[in-house]
Amino acid sequence: MTDTETPAAPEAPEAPRPPLVRRLLRSRTVRAATAAALAGALLGAGTVAWRTDTLPLLGPSPCWDSLGSGSMDALFGDRRTEVEEQALHNDPMGDTGSYGQCRVTSYEGDRARRQVTVNVRRLDGLRGTDSQDWPREFLSSGMVPLGDGLPGMTSSSRAWIALPQACTGRDDFTGPTVVDIGMGRADFEVSSEYTLRDRAALTGALLDAVNGVIDDFGCSGTYREPRDLPAPVELDTTRPSAFCGIKGLTLPAAYRKDLRETRASGEGGPVRICEAGYDSAEKAVRLTTVTDPVLAEIYSSDALHSGAPVKGTRGYGKVGGNRAVYRAVCQTGQVMFVLEQLRPAGPGTRFTFTHDLLPAYVAAESERIGCAPQKLTFITS
């Protein structure tokens, strides 16, 4: 498959029909006919008050009629919740690729206790606007692939999944249209017990939301919730001879003191991410290999404009002080190798890591994923 071909929509069968009351509650006609009789309904400024321990007042479920009672209970328990929801439509300005946002906040008395935000957006690949902030939150080493053929990743604080291109369409130089969901601070973890609980709740809500969006867009098919997720990703002591768990990638001696601990995740998924630093609070470098050719588009601008030129056997890229991006042409389409230095590491305070490690990283990763051998050359003027 080339990077311009459109894969088919998911083949999963439709979910069973909900009970009669639930179907009536989902019916826009029934809701419109009964709205005038609901004197107690709280409808105003796009915000709906919602209690997870009662049926709604013949209104839709939160977030485009998608989050059922199971997801709401798992995320918020029996606390009072309030929903702020934008209708799903193309961005009228045509620049940000945003389709809409939904935010659910739970309260204990007057105090906000938890907030979950769901976004539907088309990731940019032309201007480079989604190559920094979105990966920082949604492509971290704490995330694991959803598996079961689902095009996304999840953790206890962030999760995302790509919508079928047969449903959304796709222009050249754009990434996928994704549904992403966030709760609290990215990568915040307390214990394995809370990590597993919150990850399961967030994953369930993500699948509810994406199926609701598919339905709202007028498309057919559903994504099924994954059967088993990989274990939470743990920090490990850095192995200099196989840095980030990559055979043949040797960490230069100058960086070994500062890059003592490593966490790598994403094996077998659309993205493999490795982060390393002095400890869990000091992530200094990030190595990202994007094997999904559509998601790889979000780095296209950086591969052309983000530093000094690099030429490879079957690819090209740029290397800068704190980021290097190399685009390779592989059997599966384009693959992006992204190397970032987030804070000083090694001797002094120089940002030299990307230049020092890029050729070895691309060569070793290309070998690992079965891509054609890559030999890089820095081009000097």
Side-chain angles (χ1 to χ4, degrees), residues 8-349:
E11 293 297 330
E14 297 286 344
R17 297 186 73 194
L20 176 61
V21 172
R22 175 64 176 156
R23 297 203 305 271
L24 289 174
L25 294 180
R26 286 178 60 93
S27 166
R28 289 182 173 87
T29 302
V30 171
R31 292 201 300 264
T34 57
L38 298 175
L42 302 176
L43 301 173
T47 302
V48 180
W50 180 278
R51 286 190 57 85
T52 59
D53 56 350
T54 63
L55 283 173
L57 296 175
L58 292 186
S61 298
C63 301
W64 314 292
D65 208 5
S66 67
L67 298 187
S69 59
S71 289
M72 293 293 289
D73 288 344
L75 287 170
F76 305 109
D78 61 356
R79 294 193 181 104
R80 175 177 64 88
T81 59
E82 292 184 1
V83 182
E84 301 167 85
E85 180 179 314
Q86 293 175 329
L88 292 174
H89 53 72
N90 288 318
D91 172 30
M93 302 303 295
D95 290 330
T96 66
S98 176
Y99 286 92
Q101 182 182 91
C102 176
R103 184 167 56 196
V104 186
T105 309
S106 67
Y107 292 87
E108 188 172 23
D110 293 330
R111 181 186 176 190
R113 295 302 303 266
R114 169 170 280 189
Q115 188 172 85
V116 171
T117 303
V118 184
N119 288 288
V120 183
R121 48 184 148 194
R122 185 183 65 253
L123 297 179
D124 167 57
L126 181 62
R127 303 173 184 85
T129 56
D130 287 319
S131 68
Q132 297 276 355
D133 292 343
W134 193 84
R136 190 177 299 120
E137 288 202 39
F138 293 97
L139 299 181
S140 78
S141 63
M143 306 191 75
V144 299
L146 291 170
D148 291 343
L150 296 170
M153 304 185 78
T154 187
S155 71
S156 59
S157 61
R158 297 291 186 273
W160 65 271
I161 191 168
L163 287 158
Q165 291 182 58
C167 177
T168 62
R170 178 173 166 261
D171 297 327
D172 292 337
F173 307 112
T174 61
T177 299
V178 299
V179 178
D180 60 53
I181 185 169
M183 178 171 64
R185 193 177 74 223
D187 282 337
F188 179 73
E189 298 172 359
V190 178
S191 67
S192 58
E193 177 185 354
Y194 283 104
T195 295
L196 288 170
R197 185 197 66 185
D198 288 347
R199 190 178 71 172
L202 212 60
T203 303
L206 174 70
L207 269 295
D208 272 0
V210 72
N211 287 329
V213 171
I214 289 173
D215 182 66
D216 194 282
F217 281 3
C219 302
S220 61
T222 57
Y223 284 138
R224 291 188 180 276
E225 192 166 339
R227 291 166 294 181
D228 296 298
L229 292 172
V233 192
E234 303 289 343
L235 283 167
D236 196 6
T237 302
T238 296
R239 290 182 291 160
S241 60
F243 184 51
C244 283
I246 303 171
K247 182 180 178 181
L249 181 58
T250 300
L251 179 66
Y255 300 102
R256 295 177 187 178
K257 179 181 177 181
D258 291 329
L259 305 181
R260 303 187 348 170
E261 294 192 341
T262 304
R263 185 167 71 169
S265 178
E267 200 81 35
V271 187
R272 187 181 190 273
I273 311 111
C274 174
E275 294 171 322
Y278 190 80
D279 54 32
S280 61
E282 293 285 339
K283 293 184 291 188
V285 300
R286 180 186 295 121
L287 291 72
T288 307
T289 303
V290 188
T291 53
D292 182 286
V294 179
L295 185 63
E297 284 286 0
I298 67 175
Y299 294 106
S300 292
S301 179
D302 285 359
L304 291 168
H305 307 297
S306 63
V310 179
K311 183 174 177 56
T313 307
R314 294 189 64 193
Y316 60 85
K318 295 284 186 176
V319 58
N322 66 338
R323 172 178 273 206
V325 179
Y326 179 80
R327 178 189 184 272
V329 179
C330 298
Q331 296 89 327
T332 56
Q334 69 169 339
V335 173
M336 288 289 184
F337 302 92
V338 185
L339 191 60
E340 298 170 275
Q341 184 170 356
L342 311 175
R343 62 181 70 235
T349 58

